[in-house]
Amino acid sequence: AKDAQTKLVGLSKAKVLTCAGAPARSASADGVEYLTYVRPADEDRGMCAATFVIEQGAVVALTYAGDITRGATRGAQCAELVRGCMPEN
């Protein structure tokens, strides 16, 4: 998931919607869009929210938030949310 924070910068909004699907929530302010994808907590892992920050139709940042107090690291918790958008190499 940490690699995604750099590798997905520049990805178009259309591509995000194709590779990640419909976001759990979205917002916009001052020309910046926020598309947030959420993986709920389960017995092994805490919750993760991955937010794509989009300006002028392209990703400028990818942020993670969530409960990392149990189980895997935040990166592992969030990886499945962005895996479909990662380039093959």
Side-chain angles (χ1 to χ4, degrees):
K2 189 164 179 67
D3 283 350
Q5 289 181 297
T6 55
K7 290 184 177 178
L8 298 181
V9 169
L11 196 67
S12 72
K13 176 184 175 182
K15 179 67 175 170
V16 171
L17 294 172
T18 299
C19 65
R25 59 184 179 266
S26 61
S28 61
D30 299 323
V32 180
E33 292 182 79
Y34 303 90
L35 304 178
T36 301
Y37 296 83
V38 178
R39 192 195 60 70
D42 59 26
E43 302 93 38
D44 299 320
R45 300 177 292 186
M47 182 280 294
C48 176
T51 300
F52 289 89
V53 181
I54 299 181
E55 290 183 26
Q56 298 179 348
V59 174
V60 295
L62 173 60
T63 63
Y64 301 122
D67 175 13
I68 59 168
T69 59
R70 57 193 171 115
T73 65
R74 181 178 296 169
Q77 292 173 20
C78 297
E80 67 190 64
L81 291 170
V82 298
R83 186 174 292 126
C85 296
M86 289 294 289
E88 293 296 318
N89 292 325

